[in-house]
Amino acid sequence: LLPGVPHGHAVIQADFSRDGRRFLTRGGPAVRVWDVATGAPVTPPLDRGAPPSCAAFSREGARLVTGHDDGMAQVWNLATGQPAGPRLAVGGQVRSATFSPDGRRILTGWLDSSQLPSAAQLWDAATGEKVVQPMWHFDGLFHAEFSPDGRRIVTCGEDNTARVWDAATGEPVTPPLRHRAYVYTAAFSPDGRLVATASEDGTARLWEAETGEAVTPSLEHEGRAGWVGWSPDGREIATGW
């Protein structure tokens, strides 16, 4: 095992790259990227002057996208530690930023109680241009992600819904997937056929990604359900707060 790496501030996110060769840490004013084999830093601290609120590797592991509290997002080249393209003017606090599976687009979501409603937005990863129309929620947005094949997007937020969208057009695919309170997380199954949601109302639910139909009764929790994830084979889900 490696000894702890010296991030320099309290760490509130840590994630591996897809190939397992690098990992990131996020906390304080910067994101840092480390070599798994040696624990050595891969780049200088990735610091664009505003606290980072989220970070994610591209699938090939050569780039990173960061979202920030000032409403901006940035793509970074991990070979140089420098920005790769213009800043993305997202809106409110960036709560979610991720690459499409093919690495060509960035998906962002933001939350700002002074600028409601909130939206997810697709961007061209190379040019920073907006792609398709915004995908709106009537209240703050917590999370947005691509389906494994990149054809669909799921978002969720404070309007008590998750929503499935066509990534090519930004149009809704299903009716809203409704809970009785905030929906904190929504995640596609590995085959993209189902969506799992976790809510402040104390339930997790499973839905058909193409129709929005519920496929199981509500999975009841003693308290709120704040997170949901799938096993690699798609046969089980895990939930937690």
Side-chain angles (χ1 to χ4, degrees):
L1 294 177
L2 289 174
V5 294
H7 182 86
H9 296 269
V11 174
I12 55 178
Q13 180 188 355
D15 281 317
F16 284 103
S17 61
R18 186 177 179 86
D19 63 8
R21 296 175 54 237
R22 294 172 172 175
F23 67 98
L24 68 83
T25 54
R26 175 175 63 87
V31 172
R32 305 200 66 178
V33 181
W34 311 87
D35 185 281
V36 168
T38 66
V42 173
T43 67
L46 307 180
D47 181 356
R48 51 154 302 271
S53 50
C54 54
F57 286 103
S58 60
R59 180 166 287 197
E60 85 283 352
R63 294 169 296 161
L64 190 82
V65 61
T66 55
H68 297 265
D69 287 348
D70 66 352
M72 307 295 285
Q74 181 70 63
V75 178
W76 304 84
N77 182 333
L78 296 184
T80 64
Q82 297 299 311
R87 295 178 183 178
L88 310 179
V90 176
Q93 182 193 47
V94 184
R95 297 297 297 269
S96 186
T98 189
F99 286 90
S100 60
D102 64 8
R104 297 171 59 188
R105 294 174 295 170
I106 302 291
L107 174 63
T108 59
W110 54 273
L111 171 67
D112 187 340
S113 59
S114 69
Q115 300 181 42
L116 298 177
S118 297
Q121 179 67 56
L122 279 174
W123 310 79
D124 185 291
T127 67
E129 296 293 322
K130 291 182 179 180
V131 180
V132 310
Q133 63 189 9
M135 291 160 277
W136 293 101
H137 277 251
F138 293 118
D139 211 325
L141 189 147
F142 288 129
H143 180 72
E145 69 173 58
F146 285 97
S147 62
D149 64 6
R151 295 177 56 246
R152 298 287 186 254
I153 289 165
V154 66
T155 59
C156 60
E158 292 182 335
D159 61 359
N160 303 350
T161 71
R163 298 168 185 259
V164 180
W165 311 85
D166 187 313
T169 65
E171 295 289 342
V173 173
T174 70
L177 314 181
R178 296 191 181 278
H179 281 261
R180 298 185 304 276
Y182 293 174
V183 183
Y184 291 115
T185 311
F188 285 102
S189 59
D191 63 8
R193 292 180 52 249
L194 300 177
V195 171
T197 54
S199 172
E200 173 78 19
D201 67 11
T203 68
R205 301 196 70 177
L206 299 181
W207 315 80
E208 290 281 356
E210 290 300 313
T211 66
E213 294 292 325
V215 298
T216 66
S218 297
L219 308 176
E220 302 290 337
H221 293 63
E222 291 185 2
R224 56 189 171 184
W227 176 86
V228 64
W230 291 87
S231 62
D233 63 7
R235 298 176 63 185
E236 298 176 319
I237 62 169
T239 60
W241 171 238

